[in-house]
Every structure is written in structure tokens, then in C-alpha cells.
Amino acid sequence: PWEKFSRATVIPARIIARDTANWWRTARIDRGARDNLRPDLPVVSADGLVGKIAEVGLTTAEVVFVGDPKCRVAVVVRETSEHGVLSSSSVGVLDHRLVDLTHLPRHTALKPGQRVFTSGLGGVFPAGLPVGTIVDHRSVVYGLYTEARVKLSSDTSRLTDALALFPCPAPPPSPSWS
């Protein structure tokens, strides 16, 4: 799934610090404004989406991970084409790789193991970045809609390197034939 991002510009970065109170929620990387980083740039690893840039200093930046309440992600389930939003987990710190997938239709065809990717909606994350897999799902609020749990592809507790992903440059406008 990474082929379509081959034209995107990436800036490699190293994790240099973590807040012990928010170990699974944020990290500081060794790149910043001097490397053209800016808030809301996606951050990925070889395994998939990690999060986004939250704050930028001259030489460092804070990355907020998927699963933090400040990093909601519009996603699509590859096998069903159902769209939803990833948000922080109701499980808490029991398993930092589990997040909630909300805003799913009431009658969903979800099954464990189905793959979840960024949808491109919301303007922060480009479509097609691997995010994780469906673990389970349940009907909520008297069956009005469905929620699922997703196990993230990227294990942020083991993360030492990441890539800040700059969007692909827009293609040149097509000539107008008038």
C-alpha cells in the first residue's frame, strides 16, 4: 500500500524523549521548524500510521500518537468500505494498541481481521495509510450505531524512528481548452 506515497517527501526522525505520564500518547522527535515541520503533518513508521505533529520547536517537535484524544483519524475498513473515526480507547492503558472506531453504520459487515486505512477525509491524513485491524465490534445506544475496536499496526511503545510525511505535490492543472 505504500507505492502511492513514493512521490511524497518524508523527513526521517528519531524519538528522543517521552513523557512518563503520557508514554503511549506522545513523543518528542529530533526534527523541527528548521526541517520544515509544521503542526498536523502525518507521522508514519514502517508498520503504518503513528500519529501527527502537534507542536513544533526550532529543532524538535512533539508527535501525538493515534489513540490520544488529540489525534482523531478518519478511516475506512478496506473490505467493507465503511467509514468511521478512530478515537482514544475506552480500554485505557490495558492495551495501548487498541483504539475505538466510532461513527459506523448500524448494520455493519465487520469481522475480526479486516484491515483499516486512513480515508483521506478530514484533511490531515492522506488516504491509504495502514492503521490497523478490526478486533471486534458491538452495537451501542440501543442498536442505533456500531463501534469497533482496532488494534493499531504500529507499536508506539517500541518506536525509535519515524517519518514525517509531507503531502505529495499537487499535479499541475490540466490545460483548459476554450
Side-chain angles (χ1 to χ4, degrees):
W2 293 100
E3 295 82 23
K4 68 172 108 178
F5 301 104
S6 62
R7 288 190 359 233
T9 301
V10 296
I11 303 281
R14 240 181 221 294
I15 305 292
I16 58 170
R18 288 184 184 253
D19 180 351
T20 55
N22 290 312
W23 191 264
W24 293 289
R25 303 284 190 194
T26 64
R28 187 148 299 274
I29 59 174
D30 66 348
R31 300 294 185 145
R34 73 171 183 200
D35 303 296
N36 296 318
L37 295 190
R38 61 182 184 271
D40 289 337
L41 284 177
V43 177
V44 298
S45 72
D47 297 321
L49 183 65
V50 170
K52 67 180 181 176
I53 302 290
E55 296 176 6
V56 180
L58 182 61
T59 59
T60 66
E62 182 183 52
V63 176
V64 61
F65 296 141
V66 176
D68 184 280
K70 293 181 272 180
C71 188
R72 295 171 56 91
V73 183
V75 296
V76 61
V77 179
R78 172 69 48 93
E79 292 81 0
T80 65
S81 298
E82 291 170 329
H83 289 257
V85 177
L86 284 184
S87 59
S88 59
S89 175
S90 58
V91 177
V93 295
L94 296 177
D95 187 346
H96 68 279
R97 289 179 70 182
L98 287 179
V99 293
D100 292 333
L101 175 53
T102 61
H103 298 86
L104 293 166
R106 172 170 129 181
H107 300 292
T108 182
L110 292 180
K111 293 179 184 158
Q114 291 175 325
R115 298 167 298 164
V116 178
F117 292 84
T118 53
S119 68
L121 302 175
V124 174
F125 304 101
L129 295 173
V131 177
T133 56
I134 299 291
V135 174
D136 57 21
H137 69 283
R138 64 187 171 102
S139 180
V140 291
V141 189
Y142 304 107
L144 294 178
Y145 62 97
T146 300
E147 286 184 350
R149 288 188 305 163
V150 172
K151 184 161 190 171
L152 298 174
S153 301
S154 185
D155 185 353
T156 56
S157 70
R158 298 177 186 267
L159 195 64
T160 58
D161 299 292
L163 300 167
L165 183 65
F166 287 84
C168 295
S174 41
S176 70
W177 306 98
S178 32

